[in-house]
Amino acid sequence: MSRNPVRAALTVLAALLPVLALGLALTATTPPAAAAATPVRVMPLGDSITGSPGCWRALLWNRLQSTGHTDVDFVGTLGPQGCGVPYDGDNEGHGGYLATNVANQNLLPGWLAATRPDVVLMHFGTNDVWSNIAPATILAAYSKLVDQMRAANPATTVLVAKIIPMNPASCPECGQRTVALNSLIDGWAAGKTTAASPIVVVDQWTGFSTATDTYDGVHPNAAGDQKMSDRWYPALVAALGRATPGPTTSPTVSPTPSPTLSPSPTTSPSPTASPTSAPGGCTATWRLAGQWPGGFQGEVTVRNDGAAPIAGWTVRFPLAGGQRISQAWSADVTQSGTTVTARNASWNGALAPAAQTMFGFLAEGTAPSPALTCAPS
């Protein structure tokens, strides 16, 4: 009788062994739940226009969320300063800072190490302009900052703004100084961009009014915040499509396609002249980008409307009202009497079908409405 309980227990154990084996097999073969996608880390970088409180960031963040771009993490060592709505407010918008000082004092590497951004939104240089720092010196600082970004993450995508206009009562020269800096940013970006780490110019200047879009001639009001958000949005969405989120411990190189360096097309003034084309499909469209007493800024978009690639282009137009070109970028521009001739730069002459590029210039005199001709070469 004493052996029967033992025999019964062994019988039950034998019956349970297949079930236990099946459970172990299921545990070994069932994959773990998929990990959440790594968000793309975006650093807003600049001065008080970015960070004090920089409510364009709140508008931009919430627009991204509402349009399905939820895998984004705004990063920075500074937190939000309040904009009346919930948003991811981390940023590197340091009020009063100069881009040249941040570069000279090597402040950026520490911020990068703490946040490891994949994309940087850089609106920087307002205080440098106010301090009458030469545009070439500001651009040299830009280059150093970009080099530091790439040292931290070789695949960083950099969105660089043509900064918003300035018209403070204490600096009547600041408006023209801003134009001088912005006029050089396209060329600088074209020379600094790489396939792995593209630099994309975002035109925050065009269509922005210091009278209606700022509260003091420098800092954006609610209308200005909306315009800045609207300009950043398409460029950032495109960058999110290129960016591969980096690791949290060490950077990696992720090949990315070359950028489009034309400014964001939102809220731009309408062209003042119809494009014309020569046989072969090259067209040129004029746009008045800005004007002030005694001068103006013009921009010309060149497009290959033909079916075959072109290796270069030449645009001609008249300035019959005594206007004189004082500076140009992204093209070799000459003026003989009333005729202006613009030939492509070395890096933007080759255009595939439907591709386009842009050049610009500053001129003295009253803004015209010229008729343009474009010839491929």
Side-chain angles (χ1 to χ4, degrees), residues 89-312:
D90 296 333
N91 71 96
E92 293 295 351
H94 297 262
Y97 278 37
L98 281 67
T100 48
N101 285 349
V102 170
N104 292 338
Q105 297 172 21
N106 292 313
L107 300 179
L108 183 59
W111 303 341
L112 295 169
T115 58
R116 297 194 176 277
D118 305 298
V119 179
V120 175
L121 311 184
M122 190 170 82
H123 185 287
F124 221 168
T126 298
N127 293 308
D128 302 79
V129 168
W130 206 325
S131 301
N132 199 20
I133 305 296
T137 304
I138 300 173
L139 293 180
Y142 281 9
S143 292
K144 184 173 181 179
L145 296 177
V146 170
D147 289 342
Q148 291 172 340
M149 295 172 198
R150 290 171 175 169
N153 177 0
T156 303
T157 297
V158 187
L159 307 185
V160 176
K162 292 185 177 181
I163 64 173
I164 62 175
M166 297 173 60
N167 188 28
S170 61
C171 184
E173 303 86 5
C174 279
Q176 184 56 41
R177 293 177 193 166
T178 303
V179 171
L181 171 63
N182 284 340
S183 70
L184 301 176
I185 289 178
D186 282 309
W188 166 82
K192 192 69 177 175
T193 194
T194 67
S197 176
I199 299 175
V200 180
V201 177
V202 179
D203 185 2
Q204 293 285 359
W205 190 89
T206 301
F208 197 101
S209 168
T210 56
T212 60
D213 300 324
T214 73
Y215 59 82
D216 61 356
V218 179
H219 298 88
N221 57 20
D225 283 331
Q226 187 64 62
K227 284 187 177 180
M228 291 190 70
S229 172
D230 289 344
R231 290 298 177 88
W232 284 123
Y233 177 78
L236 179 53
V237 168
L240 296 177
R242 287 191 298 266
T244 299
T248 57
T249 55
S250 60
T252 58
V253 178
S254 176
T256 54
S258 299
T260 298
L261 295 175
S262 299
S264 172
T266 58
T267 325
S268 297
S270 300
T272 57
S274 300
T276 59
S277 62
C282 175
T283 63
T285 304
W286 155 271
R287 182 169 69 86
L288 177 63
Q291 58 184 326
W292 51 91
F296 63 94
Q297 178 181 344
E299 292 182 350
V300 177
T301 298
V302 180
R303 177 183 172 88
N304 179 7
D305 283 338
I310 61 175

